[in-house]
Amino acid sequence: MSKISKLFKGSSSSSSSSHYPSSSKSKHGHRSRTGPTPQEAIHKLRETEAMLAKKQDFLENKIEQEIIIAKKNGLKNKRAALQALKRKKRFEQQLTQIDGTLSTIEFQREALENANTNTEVLKTMGYAAKAIKGVHQNMDLDKIDSLMQDITESQEVAQEICDAISRPFGDAFDEDELLAELAELELEESMTNMGRVPSVPASKLPTSKLPSTRPSQRTPSKKRVEDDEDMQMLAAWAV
């Protein structure tokens, strides 16, 4: 075993033996202290995201500068151009690592935010459940049943009162009997109307023979003769 390994072994054993009590104390101290709240953890993650975003901008600017240096030197100073490209590669690697770290941090932050939201929702639901339980504690099912029975009985009594008020007074007649009597009256009326038509005897019916005299040859009536005489007298005065 080399002297260097022995030296490291001795220092590690001594440091571990000397740090045991302090580590146990720190463990006891952490046990007494509660962990960070979700809001604190989310705040820290957002601060880390902002810091890494600034580092991204810095590395992107450095990459652009190294590209400019490589183009500027080109074939004039090949060594300087290669060094600039090497630095650009290192910056790109760091930028890739930061992208992965940011993805992990964003995932943790979103998970914490969702868990915090779910916790608040559950708290609210539990608060509402306690309120509902407190309201139901003041309710008696027997009292509710008896109240519903009273309401039903009151409605039945009200319906009976309405029926009694709307019921017509006097004797109740059968509508079918009234309709039958009305039909008989109508039949009698129709029969009476048919009996009023005068019957004409067959002996008094006009025969098919026509009068022997023509209308022009009929004897003039007395009134017509007097009218003719007056007309003649007026004609004579006019002459």
Side-chain angles (χ1 to χ4, degrees):
M1 185 180 291
S2 61
K3 294 181 180 180
I4 297 174
S5 61
K6 288 181 180 179
L7 178 63
F8 276 108
K9 186 177 180 181
S11 61
S12 62
S13 61
S14 61
S15 62
S16 61
S17 62
S18 62
H19 283 296
Y20 279 146
S22 62
S23 62
S24 61
K25 289 180 182 180
S26 62
K27 287 180 181 180
H28 288 296
H30 282 299
R31 285 177 185 174
S32 62
R33 182 187 174 188
T34 59
T37 62
Q39 291 81 4
E40 292 175 352
I42 291 170
H43 181 69
K44 288 291 184 182
L45 288 172
R46 286 177 179 171
E47 288 182 349
T48 306
E49 283 179 345
M51 180 189 67
L52 291 175
K54 291 180 181 179
K55 186 68 179 293
Q56 277 183 329
D57 295 336
F58 173 77
L59 290 174
E60 288 174 355
N61 291 329
K62 294 295 291 182
I63 289 170
E64 291 177 359
Q65 291 177 4
E66 296 300 333
I67 291 172
I68 292 171
I69 292 172
K71 288 180 179 180
K72 184 177 180 180
N73 289 314
L75 298 175
K76 296 179 182 179
N77 192 349
K78 189 174 181 180
R79 183 176 179 181
L82 291 174
Q83 291 294 330
L85 291 176
K86 288 180 181 179
R87 289 191 296 271
K88 182 181 81 69
K89 290 292 183 181
R90 289 197 301 270
F91 295 148
E92 288 176 349
Q93 289 178 356
Q94 293 180 20
L95 191 61
T96 303
Q97 292 175 355
I98 291 174
D99 290 337
T101 305
L102 275 174
S103 298
T104 304
I105 290 174
E106 287 177 359
F107 176 77
Q108 281 187 328
R109 179 177 54 79
E110 291 174 358
L112 271 173
E113 288 174 350
N114 292 332
N116 188 31
T117 303
N118 294 333
T119 303
E120 294 298 327
V121 170
L122 289 174
K123 286 181 181 178
T124 305
M125 292 175 67
Y127 182 76
K130 289 180 180 179
I132 294 172
K133 187 176 180 181
V135 171
H136 288 168
Q137 283 179 353
N138 298 325
M139 292 183 181
D140 189 359
L141 293 178
D142 295 334
K143 291 182 179 179
I144 295 172
D145 292 337
S146 110
L147 177 62
M148 295 305 296
Q149 289 178 1
D150 293 340
I151 293 172
T152 304
E153 291 177 358
S154 300
Q155 290 178 349
E156 291 176 355
V157 171
Q159 186 63 38
E160 290 178 359
I161 293 171
C162 291
D163 294 339
I165 293 172
S166 61
R167 188 178 303 161
F169 292 98
D171 297 332
F173 299 100
D174 190 1
E175 188 175 355
D176 295 334
E177 293 180 358
L178 295 176
L179 290 173
E181 186 177 354
L182 180 61
E184 291 178 359
L185 293 173
E186 291 177 352
L187 182 60
E188 290 178 0
E189 183 69 20
S190 62
M191 294 297 292
T192 303
N193 293 332
M194 290 176 65
R196 289 178 182 174
V197 178
S199 60
V200 180
S203 60
K204 293 184 179 181
L205 291 174
T207 60
S208 60
K209 293 182 180 181
L210 295 174
S212 58
T213 60
R214 295 180 180 178
S216 60
Q217 296 178 353
R218 288 180 183 175
T219 304
S221 61
K222 184 178 180 180
K223 182 175 176 42
R224 186 172 182 182
V225 172
E226 291 177 355
D227 292 339
D228 292 339
E229 290 178 355
D230 292 338
M231 292 298 294
Q232 288 176 2
M233 289 176 67
L234 288 172
W237 288 347
V239 174

